[in-house]
Amino acid sequence: MAEIASPLDPRLEAFIRRMPKAEIHLHLEGSVRPATLLELARRNGVDPPAAGEAALREFFRFRDFPHFIEVYIAVCSCLRTPDDFATIVREVGEDASAQNIRYLEIHFNPETNVRKRGLDFHEMLAGMNRGRAEARARWGVEMRWIADGVRDSETSPWSVTRTVDWITALAPDDGVVALGLGGNEVGHPPAPFAADFARARAAGLHTVAHAGETTGPETIRDSLDLLQVERIGHGVRAAEDRDLVARLVRDRIPLELCPTSNLCTGVVGSFADHPFPRFDEAGVIVTVNSDDPPLFGTTLTDEFFVLARHWGYDADGLQRIALNAVDVSFLPDDERTRMRGSFEAEFAALRQDLGLQR
Ligand SMILES: [Zn+2]
């Protein structure tokens, strides 16, 4: 995604690499390393979508939306056992640690994996939680899960009901903190899922929906009115509706923005056209996220570079955006407060070290 951008002060570059980060919009199935996918395909006797790591990397690269879905399906077809899930979660933790990402809220699609691969939901989640425990023990990376219903699945809306059945019966240790809604927005408005979201809320779960990525502001409004979600995944197209932006500010509805993803999928034509800095200036609580890192050729660190290079964010601005993700996370209040404190201490030490004091 080469675009002309101003060079950065090396101290700011170091700041971006080393600063503590939290990511609240990342898809587990969209985060599998190409080399690992080859290994899983071999382990499970599945034909890999491309032979060799270089060819697979090329296959992973975003071309258009149908190809993106093809890659997603190919990845999922290689995930067959709970151990596979443990492996990919552990590696997400390792990749996070290399970027100093301390906390992640990770989307996954339980119903699709259960129905299409014959996995047992609880065994799959147990595998994910083994990987999560290892990431915590080895790298100090914390994770929570967002179970996504797929709005355009062939079994929708039943699949979302099924997902809610599963996740409302779990213990807090299982790590599922929210119900999410993903899949193709076009032709699949939020209304049929209202009862499922109400049931998740009544069980004490948080809620979030992808909205305003491929369809307009009305999907964001419907997600707020009918599903009563607390955060919006993407929400880029709120920029078309001044009243909606005012509502996001007034009601403190955070947006999980994924700039490189939006550029790849053509939601915006260039970083210069992306509404991120305008939302921020208007007072919307904005966060920055990578969505599906290997599929969009990005990382969370790269996304922070976009903020600095294309929109002129300095250390103060970057720190503020990083802390937004902690503040709007679905952690319990005491854990969130602790995490904010540790982020602030780490930021202060880093800024002192780099001579970037306020
Ligand atoms: Zn997403």
Side-chain angles (χ1 to χ4, degrees):
M1 286 301 136
E3 267 189 47
I4 310 293
S6 43
L8 286 187
D9 177 339
R11 288 179 308 167
L12 194 61
E13 233 172 84
F15 179 79
I16 291 170
R17 292 191 196 287
R18 290 169 57 189
M19 65 191 235
K21 303 171 187 77
E23 175 152 39
I24 58 172
H25 190 122
L26 179 79
H27 295 269
L28 180 59
E29 300 89 340
S31 299
V32 180
R33 298 174 184 165
T36 303
L37 194 68
L38 277 184
E39 169 57 23
L40 294 179
R42 195 194 53 74
R43 203 151 96 180
N44 294 323
V46 179
D47 273 340
E53 206 183 316
L56 198 59
R57 257 179 224 292
E58 189 52 38
F59 174 73
F60 263 39
R61 195 132 53 116
F62 188 89
R63 288 169 215 168
D64 51 33
F65 206 72
H67 179 72
F68 174 78
I69 298 298
E70 194 188 329
V71 174
Y72 215 88
I73 291 169
V75 170
C76 290
S77 75
C78 296
L79 300 170
R80 296 294 171 103
T81 70
D83 277 346
D84 298 344
F85 282 86
T87 301
I88 63 172
V89 169
R90 184 186 66 236
E91 291 184 352
V92 166
E94 188 175 19
D95 294 343
S97 166
Q99 301 174 67
N100 202 18
I101 300 174
R102 315 305 315 160
Y103 178 69
L104 296 146
E105 285 175 6
I106 304 176
H107 291 260
F108 72 116
N109 288 335
E111 198 272 336
T112 318
N113 289 318
V114 166
R115 178 164 43 88
K116 294 201 167 159
R117 318 281 154 242
L119 279 151
D120 175 86
F121 170 73
H122 295 95
E123 287 176 10
M124 175 180 69
L125 184 60
M128 289 162 55
N129 278 328
R130 283 201 297 280
R132 173 175 164 237
E134 202 175 331
R136 180 190 293 134
R138 290 176 69 169
W139 301 292
V141 174
E142 272 297 336
M143 300 177 184
R144 295 292 185 274
W145 311 119
I146 297 174
D148 267 356
V150 182
R151 67 218 309 163
D152 60 329
S153 142
E154 51 271 61
T155 51
S156 167
W158 171 86
S159 58
V160 180
T161 306
R162 182 96 194 272
T163 301
V164 175
D165 289 344
W166 285 324
I167 64 176
T168 50
L170 296 172
D173 280 357
D174 291 317
V176 176
V177 289
L179 172 67
L181 190 62
N184 189 0
E185 286 175 51
V186 179
H188 302 277
F193 310 105
D196 291 317
F197 273 72
R199 204 151 57 91
R201 275 200 316 280
L205 286 162
H206 294 280
T207 53
V208 57
H210 285 69
E213 180 189 13
T214 48
T215 58
E218 68 283 357
T219 310
I220 302 171
R221 287 182 187 283
D222 284 351
S223 300
L224 296 173
D225 293 335
L226 305 176
L227 309 184
Q228 296 181 35
V229 294
E230 295 159 69
R231 302 192 313 229
I232 296 289
H234 293 283
V236 193
R237 293 189 52 190
E240 296 164 18
D241 185 333
R242 197 187 293 257
D243 290 343
L244 180 57
V245 171
R247 177 178 178 182
L248 298 176
V249 173
R250 186 191 67 226
D251 295 345
R252 303 186 57 76
I253 306 291
L255 298 184
E256 306 160 1
L257 294 163
C258 310
T260 300
S261 162
N262 295 154
L263 196 62
C264 285
T265 58
V267 172
V268 297
S270 67
F271 286 127
D273 291 335
H274 199 287
F276 187 105
R278 282 179 280 138
F279 285 144
D280 190 22
E281 262 166 51
V284 180
I285 303 170
V286 287
T287 64
V288 69
N289 303 275
S290 64
D291 214 7
D292 302 283
L295 274 50
F296 295 127
T298 190
T299 62
L300 183 58
T301 299
D302 289 339
E303 297 303 306
F304 276 102
F305 274 114
V306 170
L307 265 64
R309 288 204 176 107
H310 293 277
W311 305 323
Y313 277 77
D314 61 7
D316 284 354
L318 295 166
Q319 176 169 341
R320 186 169 51 77
I321 300 298
L323 289 172
N324 278 353
V326 177
D327 291 343
V328 305
S329 72
F330 292 148
L331 283 169
D333 290 349
D334 56 337
E335 284 181 56
R336 196 173 51 241
T337 305
R338 257 202 315 276
M339 185 171 295
R340 196 180 214 281
S342 84
F343 268 55
E344 281 171 351
E346 200 171 329
F347 268 117
L350 177 61
R351 295 181 71 148
Q352 171 123 36
D353 190 39
L354 294 171
L356 285 170
Q357 289 97 324
R358 282 166 188 275

